Amino acid sequence: MEISKYCLSILLFIVFNFNVFSQSQEKIKDLDLFINRAETLSTNHSNKFFSKAFEFYKKRNFDSCYAYSGRALLGELRQEEKDIVNYIQSVSAAKKKLYKKALSSVLNMSENGLYESLKEQKLGQVYLSLKKFDKAIYHYEKWSKKNESSVLKIRRASFHNLGLSYLHKKEYSKAKEYFSKELSLIEQRDTAAIIRTKMDLANVYYNQYLDDDAIPLFVEAYDLAKLFSDLELKQYTAKNMAVVEKNRKNYQKSVDYYIEYGRWKDSIWNRDKIWELTEKDKQLAVAQKQQEIVLQEEQLKRQAVVQKSLVIGASGLLVFLGFLGYFYRELKSKNRFITQQKEELNVANKTKDYLFSVVSHDLRSPINTIKRQHEKLKRQLKNKEYDAVSETTNNAIALTESTSHLLNNVLHWSLEQNNQLSFKAEEYALKPLVEQAVYNFEEIAEAKNIALTTMLEATILVKADKESLKIVLRNLLDNALKYTGENGKIAIKTYNDSEEFSVIEIKDTGFGISEEKLAKIKGLEDLSIDKINRSEGVGLGMLLCQTLIKKNNGKLLIDSELEVGTTIRILLPNASA
């Protein structure tokens, strides 16, 4: 049944949250010992990469921790030090969802060492993420036997992950046993945990087609979530009910639940964005009011200057001329300041006008299309054209995702133009950043039958702002996939271009770009907002990429040929040695 695959995906989401939580709680015992010991060994250690890796681990900077731990293992280390480095490397890799690397690192830890308990727990987590459920069960049960008196929340997480593993193996009685144990350990006030665990038990019954036992639990979880403040739980319980009603052929109820699911999903996305935009409007209003006050104060000051000049003039011509020269210089300086503020206000107004132009021009078509898709879906449901509903829904989802991508670009551009986009250039390993960006597009590439390959050097360190670089990579990869047809190829590689720069190269076999349009795109490097001509088709996404790369002290180079493909190279400054 369709519900099975969906429910398991929900469970994996919940397990991930439990794993992170249980690891932080484990500091009470084994992890606390581990950190104290690693702190002692890293002080004045001869292997500087060992100390660096542990420092980044404590700061939870897992990208740099992953890079430096790899370098540390290439040097001279004692066995206990190797165990420490392998463990923090496995944690960093798991955080970055590089589960095979996480497994390799934790398996390199010694047997029966000081950190055997940490090793067993981490093996259980990694094997579960890799869907090797027999091995996950083996290591979790081995860990549980030696930690029966551990913290309550850790035992709950262990029972949850064991139940999940048995559910994947379709050993439903064992899955039910462990989920029931987990439920018995949850305090009544912990509503979120109760909702998740009831969904777990409902999935156990539903996978056995025991609808009479499963559906009341789904309904109970949904009702609890409606009274609870967690938007994610509201979203997932609503989607559960949509799938349940669909399988029961209650299509109208299913659509109602899907609409509610979409509403919660939009609420989650808008929750922070609305606050940011509201805060921005508030700051703009305050700034405008302050500007009015400054202008009034300047006017009063000028009046006072004139009056004072007349009084001083009565005392003598020389004194009058001296003060007149002084006040003239003061007025000139203040007028310069007012002129500068006026120019900045003009740029802000032009930015606002451009963003309104983008929203009104580029959103009109997709919003109208989404509206037509929903009307078409309503008509198909009314006419019972169920075979066409799936295709219409997929089209609506694709349009919504495209519109969301445009809104993200508008938001980022607005924040950058108003100097509100957080920007902090630090040293990062380049490979993990690119891997994470590519990972988010693998399913899209697979759906279009596009070969997405990478060749990334592990030792490259760059100095850049991680979040702005992610925005650039998402835009460029999205464009490459959009303009590459089925059975095409996209290759991503990194390499050192010189002592000064390293390169991210994205090469596709797509439709290519005409010479005329390529010249316009290359012209974006020196293009300001007040020079943009919307009629020429200059995209906000490429303008945003050029702006952010330039802010990172880098360069964006584009080569393209029609019907052959496009090659984009991002040059970023290397980290200092």
Side-chain angles (χ1 to χ4, degrees), residues 240-304:
N240 272 345
M241 293 305 300
V243 177
V244 167
E245 295 299 342
K246 179 181 177 182
N247 289 337
R248 298 170 74 186
K249 302 189 184 301
N250 294 331
Y251 296 112
Q252 186 57 53
K253 286 186 178 180
S254 177
V255 169
D256 291 340
Y257 282 121
Y258 271 121
I259 292 172
E260 182 181 352
Y261 160 76
R263 187 168 65 250
W264 291 124
K265 186 176 181 180
D266 291 341
S267 296
I268 292 169
W269 187 88
N270 289 328
R271 178 177 51 196
D272 297 328
K273 304 303 177 186
I274 290 174
W275 181 88
E276 291 175 3
L277 292 174
T278 303
E279 191 67 21
K280 179 184 173 184
D281 291 340
K282 177 182 176 182
Q283 291 173 356
L284 181 60
V286 170
Q288 290 174 341
K289 193 65 178 177
Q290 289 175 340
Q291 182 69 16
E292 293 175 1
I293 293 172
V294 169
L295 291 174
Q296 290 175 358
E297 289 177 349
E298 291 296 331
Q299 185 177 3
L300 291 173
K301 287 180 181 179
R302 284 194 291 270
Q303 292 174 355

Side-chain angles (χ1 to χ4, degrees), residues 98-332:
L98 304 174
Y99 298 119
K100 290 184 179 179
K101 180 59 182 175
L103 177 61
S104 173
S105 298
V106 76
L107 287 175
N108 285 332
M109 294 175 66
S110 60
E111 297 292 334
N112 301 319
L114 294 173
Y115 313 114
E116 182 183 5
S117 179
L118 287 177
K119 178 179 179 180
E120 292 297 334
Q121 187 187 38
K122 181 56 64 179
L123 281 171
Q125 294 172 8
V126 174
Y127 277 126
L128 183 56
S129 298
L130 289 171
K131 300 182 181 181
K132 296 183 178 181
F133 306 113
D134 289 327
K135 291 185 177 180
I137 290 169
Y138 170 78
H139 289 286
Y140 265 119
E141 289 185 341
K142 185 177 179 181
W143 178 84
S144 297
K145 289 177 182 177
K146 295 183 179 181
N147 294 273
E148 293 181 352
S149 60
S150 60
V151 178
L152 185 65
K153 291 186 177 180
I154 303 174
R155 288 163 55 209
R156 270 178 44 198
S158 177
F159 289 151
H160 174 88
N161 292 339
L162 281 166
L164 178 62
S165 298
Y166 280 115
L167 179 57
H168 276 286
K169 286 168 58 64
K170 299 183 180 180
E171 296 183 19
Y172 299 117
S173 61
K174 295 290 289 184
K176 177 184 175 183
E177 175 188 344
Y178 281 109
F179 286 141
S180 297
K181 286 182 178 181
E182 178 191 3
L183 186 61
S184 68
L185 296 177
I186 299 175
E187 298 179 0
Q188 282 297 116
R189 60 184 179 181
D190 194 351
T191 307
I194 292 173
I195 293 171
R196 293 189 183 102
T197 308
K198 285 185 180 295
M199 283 197 292
D200 293 335
L201 285 171
N203 283 324
V204 173
Y205 290 124
Y206 211 73
N207 275 274
Q208 298 177 80
Y209 303 98
L210 300 176
D211 291 11
D212 292 341
D213 294 317
I215 293 175
L217 288 171
F218 279 127
V219 173
E220 187 176 350
Y222 170 77
D223 290 338
L224 284 173
K226 285 180 66 176
L227 301 175
F228 194 50
S229 59
D230 192 308
L231 295 180
E232 282 78 7
L233 287 177
K234 294 176 184 291
Q235 175 189 359
Y236 286 113
T237 54
K239 191 169 184 180
N240 272 345
M241 293 305 300
V243 177
V244 167
E245 295 299 342
K246 179 181 177 182
N247 289 337
R248 298 170 74 186
K249 302 189 184 301
N250 294 331
Y251 296 112
Q252 186 57 53
K253 286 186 178 180
S254 177
V255 169
D256 291 340
Y257 282 121
Y258 271 121
I259 292 172
E260 182 181 352
Y261 160 76
R263 187 168 65 250
W264 291 124
K265 186 176 181 180
D266 291 341
S267 296
I268 292 169
W269 187 88
N270 289 328
R271 178 177 51 196
D272 297 328
K273 304 303 177 186
I274 290 174
W275 181 88
E276 291 175 3
L277 292 174
T278 303
E279 191 67 21
K280 179 184 173 184
D281 291 340
K282 177 182 176 182
Q283 291 173 356
L284 181 60
V286 170
Q288 290 174 341
K289 193 65 178 177
Q290 289 175 340
Q291 182 69 16
E292 293 175 1
I293 293 172
V294 169
L295 291 174
Q296 290 175 358
E297 289 177 349
E298 291 296 331
Q299 185 177 3
L300 291 173
K301 287 180 181 179
R302 284 194 291 270
Q303 292 174 355
V305 167
V306 172
Q307 292 174 357
K308 191 173 183 180
S309 298
L310 291 173
V311 173
I312 295 173
S315 65
L317 181 60
L318 294 177
V319 176
F320 171 78
L321 292 175
F323 274 93
L324 184 62
Y326 168 78
F327 285 117
Y328 173 77
R329 289 193 299 271
E330 285 291 309
L331 285 172
K332 187 174 181 180

Side-chain angles (χ1 to χ4, degrees), residues 359-520:
V359 172
S360 63
H361 180 273
D362 292 354
L363 281 183
R364 184 184 298 118
S365 177
I367 291 298
N368 287 336
T369 305
I370 291 172
K371 180 181 178 181
R372 289 195 297 271
Q373 289 290 328
H374 286 168
E375 291 172 350
K376 183 177 179 182
L377 179 62
K378 182 178 179 180
R379 186 172 61 254
Q380 289 170 343
L381 287 171
K382 183 177 180 180
N383 297 333
K384 299 182 179 181
E385 298 173 3
Y386 300 129
D387 293 337
V389 168
S390 177
E391 180 181 353
T392 304
T393 303
N394 289 336
N395 291 337
I397 291 172
L399 281 167
T400 303
E401 290 176 348
S402 176
T403 307
S404 175
H405 181 71
L406 172 61
L407 285 174
N408 278 330
N409 280 342
V410 171
L411 176 63
H412 291 138
W413 174 256
S414 173
L415 293 175
E416 196 282 329
Q417 288 293 297
N418 289 278
N419 295 317
Q420 295 179 21
L421 188 65
S422 177
F423 190 92
K424 186 176 182 182
E426 293 182 332
E427 293 184 8
Y428 291 100
L430 188 56
K431 180 180 178 181
L433 285 175
V434 178
E435 284 178 333
Q436 187 174 0
V438 172
Y439 177 82
N440 294 330
F441 288 91
E442 286 179 346
E443 290 185 1
I444 301 174
E446 184 178 352
K448 292 187 66 176
N449 200 23
I450 294 175
L452 187 62
T453 61
T454 59
M455 187 168 64
L456 310 175
E457 292 187 17
T459 58
I460 295 177
L461 293 174
V462 296
K463 187 171 184 179
D465 173 63
K466 179 169 65 172
E467 296 306 319
S468 65
L469 184 55
K470 286 181 180 178
I471 293 170
V472 172
L473 288 173
R474 281 198 297 269
N475 270 284
L476 296 180
L477 287 171
D478 184 71
N479 282 345
L481 285 164
K482 186 185 298 182
Y483 296 113
T484 300
E486 291 191 355
N487 301 316
K489 296 179 181 179
I490 299 176
I492 302 100
K493 68 177 181 179
T494 60
Y495 57 89
N496 280 314
D497 183 65
S498 63
E499 292 183 359
E500 185 179 1
F501 290 101
S502 290
V503 178
I504 305 171
E505 182 181 282
I506 303 172
K507 184 174 184 180
D508 65 61
T509 60
F511 307 133
I513 306 171
S514 66
E515 292 182 2
E516 181 182 358
K517 190 170 184 180
L518 185 59
K520 292 177 183 177

